[in-house]
């Protein structure tokens, strides 16, 4: 079985991916390889951060790996908060404050178009490949719903009357940016081992 590190400490993401990938791969977390340090994310793009994380792990541990990075891109704000989504309102990574900042900046703006974008960088057999997942939607004028995390209460995907935070988690996890990116990665890996 080929070992592949998923450069994350998020147990939920790990289970989701492990579940989808066929038996040919053994997915390891950062904990599994005793990596407890903060991985640098200093790029000014989502793709750059994903790449920085996977290279950091590969250079240090020499095991094939992948890493993901996500951001919310709002058209009227020139793509912000984008790569800065996690710390938009400050270093404390506070979801409420981040959403409040977005709502304040969007006050009075009629173009509400936004999208979540996930990029995965995979380093396999010395080569890097990228996989992307995008979901388009709109930013509401107020928060709705209790599920999920991050900007979910203010993001409504196109074609739905519910925000991400009003949907059951299984529903969101079927259609989300991350789900699409992960499916693209998994399809690629599963094809390789056919
Ligand atoms: P990460 O790259 O997955 O850590 O995501 C970076 C930031 O983007 C998070 O801290 C959230 O603010 C935001 N984000 C990522 N995925 C989601 C999501 O599915 N819903 C809402 N916000 C998200």
């Amino acid at each position: 079985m080929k070992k592949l590190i998923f450069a994350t400490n998020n147990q939920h993401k790990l289970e989701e991916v492990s579940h989808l990938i066929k038996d040919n791969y053994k997915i390891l977390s950062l904990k599994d390889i005793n990596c407890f340090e903060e991985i640098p994310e200093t790029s000014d793009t989502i793709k750059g951060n994903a790449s920085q994380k996977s290279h950091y792990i590969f250079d240090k541990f020499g095991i094939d790996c992948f890493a993901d990075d996500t951001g919310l891109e709002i058209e009227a704000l020139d793509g912000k908060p984008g790569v800065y989504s996690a710390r938009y309102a400050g270093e404390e990574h506070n979801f409420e404050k981040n959403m409040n900042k977005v709502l304040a900046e969007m006050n009075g703006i009629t173009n509400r178009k936004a999208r979540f974008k996930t990029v995965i960088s995979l380093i396999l057999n010395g080569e890097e490949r990228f996989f992307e997942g995008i979901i388009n939607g709109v930013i509401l004028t107020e928060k709705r719903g209790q599920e999920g995390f991050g900007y979910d209460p203010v993001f409504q995907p196109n074609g739905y009357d519910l925000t991400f935070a009003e949907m059951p988690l299984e529903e969101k996890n079927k259609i989300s940016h991350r789900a699409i990116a992960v499916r693209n990665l998994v399809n690629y890996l599963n094809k390789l081992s056919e």
Side-chain angles (χ1 to χ4, degrees):
M1 220 192 276
K2 192 167 173 50
K3 282 184 186 165
L4 202 52
I5 300 171
F6 185 3
T8 185
N9 285 314
N10 181 325
Q11 194 59 29
H12 178 77
K13 284 188 191 175
L14 196 75
E15 278 167 20
E16 194 177 297
V17 174
S18 304
H19 185 74
L20 290 167
I21 291 181
K22 283 189 189 155
D23 295 343
N24 310 46
Y25 294 91
K26 170 131 186 75
I27 306 295
L28 303 173
S29 69
L30 293 176
K31 206 165 97 192
D32 292 330
I33 56 166
N34 286 320
C35 175
F36 298 105
E37 63 210 90
E38 189 104 346
I39 305 177
E41 292 183 47
T42 54
S43 171
D44 57 6
T45 63
I46 294 169
K47 186 177 177 182
N49 268 348
S51 181
Q52 187 180 19
K53 287 189 265 186
S54 64
H55 276 95
Y56 182 88
I57 294 299
F58 183 71
D59 291 347
K60 193 149 188 185
F61 295 91
I63 302 176
D64 286 332
C65 64
F66 60 93
D68 70 329
D69 200 60
T70 295
L72 172 67
E73 298 180 329
I74 302 175
E75 193 171 278
L77 302 181
D78 295 326
K80 283 192 291 178
V83 70
Y84 306 109
S85 293
R87 54 205 138 108
Y88 197 44
E91 279 306 322
E92 60 202 284
H93 293 210
N94 182 314
F95 293 148
E96 284 299 318
K97 283 190 180 170
N98 287 342
M99 272 188 290
N100 290 342
K101 183 169 177 185
V102 160
L103 287 177
E105 288 181 338
M106 291 296 285
N107 192 18
I109 294 178
T110 48
N111 175 8
R112 314 293 302 186
K113 283 185 200 161
R115 63 184 197 173
F116 274 113
K117 183 163 89 180
T118 295
V119 178
I120 295 174
S121 154
L122 167 73
I123 301 180
L124 190 67
N125 305 324
E127 268 185 52
E128 182 174 27
R129 276 193 174 72
F130 293 98
F131 303 88
E132 200 178 74
I134 285 176
I135 181 152
N136 290 297
V138 289
I139 299 297
L140 301 185
T141 51
E142 56 186 19
K143 300 168 199 159
R144 281 192 350 221
Q146 306 295 330
E147 299 291 324
F149 70 101
Y151 298 89
D152 281 349
V154 295
F155 182 83
Q156 182 170 293
N158 290 346
Y160 291 81
D161 295 326
L162 303 175
T163 66
F164 264 171
E166 291 175 311
M167 286 180 188
L169 205 55
E170 311 94 73
E171 178 82 11
K172 177 195 164 189
N173 286 343
K174 271 186 215 151
I175 63 166
S176 80
H177 41 297
R178 206 166 9 259
I180 297 167
V182 164
R183 264 200 302 272
N184 287 335
L185 167 75
V186 167
N187 284 345
Y188 175 77
L189 290 174
N190 287 345
K191 257 203 195 104
L192 280 186
S193 53
E194 268 172 16

